[in-house]
Amino acid sequence: MKRSRLVRDVAEVVAIVLAGAWAIYTFAWQNLLVPAIRPPSLVATIQMRHVGNEGPLAVIRLDESLHNTGINTVHFLGYSITVLSERVRPSATALPAKTENGGNVLEAYYTFSKPSVVYRDAFLTQLADPTTGRDLFLYPGQLTTLTREFYVPRTKFTRLVAWLITTYTKNEKRTIPTTMTIEPSGRPHFDSQAPDGVVFMYNEPLAELDLSE
């Protein structure tokens, strides 16, 4: 009787110890290890609309959506919206296809003019340069929307393309020196002094608008 009770007591103690160890492991994994190894997750969208006219100018509205779908806070180092304009140029004769990088593109009866910048808002945050005094971050699960308007001549351009170019990190414990330069294309470039895997980039054309409609 005493032996069976002893065995039962030992089994209960072992079960309690194992349960506690599992709880500690689960807590450490979910709250310390997983956030430490998982990169920040950013989903960005842009909607560009022609919402009115101001004399000969078209009023263009940009609606930006930034969604942190991860478990780490997204801290921006540099952020920019750049809108490039183009004109469609018709061709009286069929143009040949373009073959490059294993692909084939045929735009037989038109070309685009060289893009030019019609709008740009680009900045560094104080995490990249403490002198800027600007900050931008998203908590896990946070969704932020931004709206802005700009103006372009209605008849001068045919097509607008909005680019989102940004660099961000999940590390806010120290400044990550970052510089911004404007490339010949008119789009910004952010260069951060950080080891691989610390800083992440987003560089995509996210919206187009046909001004001829």
Side-chain angles (χ1 to χ4, degrees):
M1 186 69 176
K2 291 182 178 180
R3 176 175 292 183
S4 62
R5 180 177 298 176
L6 177 63
V7 171
R8 185 185 62 188
D9 292 344
V10 170
E12 289 178 354
V13 170
V14 171
I16 293 172
V17 171
L18 290 176
W22 177 253
I24 293 173
Y25 171 79
T26 302
F27 175 85
W29 174 258
Q30 292 180 345
N31 295 278
L32 300 176
L33 298 179
V34 171
I37 64 178
R38 185 169 294 177
S41 181
L42 175 66
V43 175
T45 60
I46 295 178
Q47 184 180 23
M48 185 162 47
R49 294 177 291 157
H50 180 183
V51 295
N53 299 308
E54 186 69 32
L57 300 176
V59 183
I60 309 300
R61 179 171 297 164
L62 285 173
D63 294 311
E64 305 160 45
S65 174
L66 302 173
H67 188 195
N68 181 357
T69 58
I71 60 175
N72 292 296
T73 300
V74 172
H75 298 274
F76 291 91
L77 298 167
Y79 186 85
S80 71
I81 293 291
T82 303
V83 180
L84 302 179
S85 63
E86 299 173 325
R87 285 194 64 85
V88 176
R89 294 173 174 170
S91 175
T93 58
L95 301 172
K98 302 173 185 177
T99 301
E100 57 183 15
N101 299 326
N104 185 281
V105 177
L106 176 61
E107 298 170 335
Y109 289 98
Y110 68 94
T111 60
F112 289 108
S113 65
K114 181 180 178 181
S116 60
V117 179
V118 293
Y119 177 83
R120 179 173 56 229
D121 183 14
F123 61 90
L124 295 172
T125 69
Q126 60 187 13
L127 188 60
D129 180 355
T131 66
T132 66
R134 302 184 69 171
D135 204 3
L136 182 62
F137 58 88
L138 295 172
Y139 292 117
Q142 183 178 353
L143 173 64
T144 295
T145 57
L146 307 170
T147 298
R148 64 186 83 197
E149 292 183 351
F150 64 95
Y151 303 83
V152 296
R154 287 202 308 274
T155 59
K156 186 174 182 179
F157 305 112
T158 310
R159 180 172 174 258
L160 302 179
V161 180
W163 284 75
L164 171 64
I165 302 172
T166 184
T167 181
Y168 55 95
T169 182
K170 64 181 181 181
N171 180 14
E172 63 167 337
K173 294 182 180 179
R174 61 182 179 84
T175 299
I176 300 178
T178 302
T179 58
M180 177 177 62
T181 56
I182 305 300
E183 297 182 327
S185 66
R187 299 194 299 269
H189 173 73
F190 298 106
D191 186 17
S192 297
Q193 300 177 23
D196 293 341
V198 173
V199 172
F200 302 84
M201 301 289 294
Y202 209 111
N203 189 342
E204 297 290 340
L206 294 185
E208 296 183 5
L209 177 65
D210 186 350
L211 275 179
S212 64
E213 294 181 350

